[in-house]
Amino acid sequence: MRPLRYTVNVTLDGCCDHRAMFTDEDLHRHATENLAQADALLFGRVTYELMEAAFRPSVRAGARLDWMEPFAHAIDAAKKYVVSSTLDRVDWNAELVRGDLGNRAFKVDSSWRLYSSFLV
């Protein structure tokens, strides 16, 4: 079985809310490199909605800095699994996951490398 890689961005003061943090080119470059190694992404509802709003191609032109574009392309192209009991449907190359995550997520394909990022 290939590895499940988990990421969480935490500031020195312990903040892990993506909406309250600043990002920079190095962080996006690192995240893009991680995405390139993943076969799929595993998100919770909040992170999925946050990423979709920021990086889906329909975001208006000029809304992102140029150095964000490689990350935007990588996350847009990636297969996504979204864990949620409240969403009715997902799109953006995503599949909704309900029920027992332990049994569901790892039956997808045991050879896949999943990249997980949750915001609660």
Side-chain angles (χ1 to χ4, degrees):
M1 177 182 289
R2 288 158 81 175
L4 171 65
R5 299 176 188 270
Y6 179 80
T7 184
V8 62
N9 299 328
V10 180
T11 61
L12 292 176
D13 64 356
C15 178
C16 61
D17 186 338
H18 289 75
R19 298 163 296 186
M21 297 172 65
F22 293 102
T23 187
D24 63 17
E25 189 170 356
D26 289 336
L27 179 63
H28 273 254
R29 185 180 311 109
H30 178 73
T32 303
E33 291 167 1
N34 282 334
L35 288 178
Q37 297 177 44
D39 295 304
L41 308 179
L42 181 62
F43 289 142
R45 176 191 56 83
V46 174
T47 301
Y48 171 77
E49 290 174 339
L50 178 82
M51 295 297 190
E52 182 184 30
F55 297 108
R56 192 172 183 135
S58 60
V59 171
R60 65 178 163 66
R64 291 187 292 258
L65 299 169
D66 289 343
W67 50 262
M68 292 180 166
E69 290 305 317
F71 178 80
H73 292 297
I75 198 168
D76 178 57
K79 173 67 178 168
K80 299 162 198 73
Y81 292 92
V82 182
V83 179
S84 175
S85 61
T86 58
L87 289 174
D88 293 325
R89 65 178 187 81
V90 293
D91 57 7
W92 194 39
N93 197 24
E95 181 179 323
L96 190 58
V97 177
R98 296 190 188 277
D100 184 347
L101 177 61
N103 288 331
R104 174 65 176 94
F106 300 105
K107 287 184 180 175
V108 171
D109 185 327
S110 64
S111 69
W112 281 20
R113 292 171 295 184
L114 293 174
Y115 180 83
S116 173
S117 179
F118 283 89
L119 178 64
V120 290

